[in-house]
């Protein structure tokens, strides 16, 4: 059994001091839950989640609210990264350097999934009130929905949003 309650004045991410973090959670017998809060001037979000790995098809739940996230401002101090040989997190930093005004907010995000792989996964991801800004261009959506159904033979994916709707049914391993 592990119980964690922690409050951090800051954590350095690529030399950016992400401030005011709070974590509370526990894990016991392949079950866990956690609450994470970040109240930084460039990243203000709260999330909670749980998992149950005891089941044949493990279950995962996540809900979050992102009041604001300004990654371009968080990493503006990082030296310019060469675009030829970038790997890992540096790809994100390079994107932010090229697109120096990126802002994200989400009123609510909910994710409920069951399964041990993409082949066995079922569940849904719901995002409400999303606002994404890049170089003064703004993308807003009232809702984005992804529903994944798996009947053992076919995997079915249903995507709906303010922008477009799509449906895919396949027995091909994705």
């Amino acid at each position: 059994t592990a119980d964690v309650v922690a409050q951090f004045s800051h954590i350095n991410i690529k030399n950016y001091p992400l401030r005011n973090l709070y974590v509370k959670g526990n894990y016991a017998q392949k079950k866990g839950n956690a609450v994470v809060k970040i109240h930084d001037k460039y990243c203000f979000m709260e999330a909670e989640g749980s998992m149950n790995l005891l089941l044949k098809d493990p279950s995962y739940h996540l809900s979050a609210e992102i009041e604001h996230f300004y990654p371009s401002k968080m990493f503006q101090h990082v030296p310019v990264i060469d675009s030829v040989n970038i790997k890992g997190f540096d790809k994100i930093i390079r994107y932010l350097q090229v697109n120096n005004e990126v802002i994200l907010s989400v009123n609510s995000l909910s994710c409920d999934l069951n399964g041990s792989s993409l082949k066995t996964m079922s569940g849904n991801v719901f995002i409400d009130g999303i606002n994404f800004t890049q170089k003064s261009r703004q993308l807003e959506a009232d809702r984005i929905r992804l529903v994944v159904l798996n009947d053992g033979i076919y995997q079915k994916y249903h995507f709906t949003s303010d922008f477009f709707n799509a449906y895919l049914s396949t027995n091909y391993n994705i």
Side-chain angles (χ1 to χ4, degrees):
T1 300
D3 288 312
V4 175
V5 176
Q7 190 159 350
F8 303 93
S9 62
H10 73 278
I11 292 178
N12 282 323
I13 300 174
K14 285 284 194 181
N15 291 323
Y16 175 77
L18 188 63
R19 299 190 185 286
N20 302 319
L21 283 87
Y22 170 81
V23 178
K24 180 180 181 180
N26 64 53
Y27 180 81
Q29 300 175 345
K30 296 190 175 187
K31 288 182 173 183
N33 61 61
V35 172
V36 176
K37 297 178 182 182
I38 303 171
H39 294 176
D40 182 84
K41 67 180 178 179
Y42 295 140
C43 180
F44 194 98
M45 64 174 46
E46 297 186 359
E48 64 179 68
S50 62
M51 65 180 183
N52 183 345
L53 304 177
L54 287 172
L55 305 171
K56 177 184 173 235
D57 288 326
S59 67
Y60 307 90
H61 170 76
L62 170 71
S63 61
E65 178 183 322
I66 304 168
E67 185 175 302
H68 63 261
F69 178 48
Y70 302 102
S72 301
K73 292 182 179 182
M74 287 174 66
F75 301 112
Q76 64 190 357
H77 66 280
V78 176
V80 174
I81 295 174
D82 177 22
S83 63
V84 176
N85 297 312
I86 57 175
K87 296 178 185 173
F89 193 66
D90 283 346
K91 289 181 181 181
I92 295 170
I93 300 296
R94 176 65 180 163
Y95 172 82
L96 295 170
Q97 289 174 338
V98 172
N99 301 284
N100 60 5
E101 182 189 322
V102 175
I103 304 166
L104 174 68
S105 67
V106 174
N107 287 347
S108 71
L109 178 145
S110 175
C111 176
D112 287 297
L113 297 172
N114 296 302
S116 56
S117 69
L118 282 177
K119 186 175 181 178
T120 64
M121 193 67 63
S122 289
N124 59 63
V125 177
F126 295 162
I127 303 172
D128 292 317
I130 187 168
N131 187 320
F132 179 79
T133 303
Q134 175 184 312
K135 290 187 176 178
S136 299
R137 292 182 301 230
Q138 193 168 8
L139 173 69
E140 291 183 82
D142 288 333
R143 71 190 186 308
I144 297 174
R145 305 280 188 259
L146 173 63
V147 177
V148 180
L149 303 171
N150 186 331
D151 65 9
I153 298 171
Y154 291 98
Q155 295 87 42
K156 299 173 184 177
Y157 304 90
H158 192 192
F159 180 88
T160 59
S161 73
D162 298 357
F163 313 114
F164 70 92
N165 299 319
Y167 179 80
L168 170 68
S169 179
T170 181
N171 63 355
Y172 180 78
N173 287 336
I174 293 184

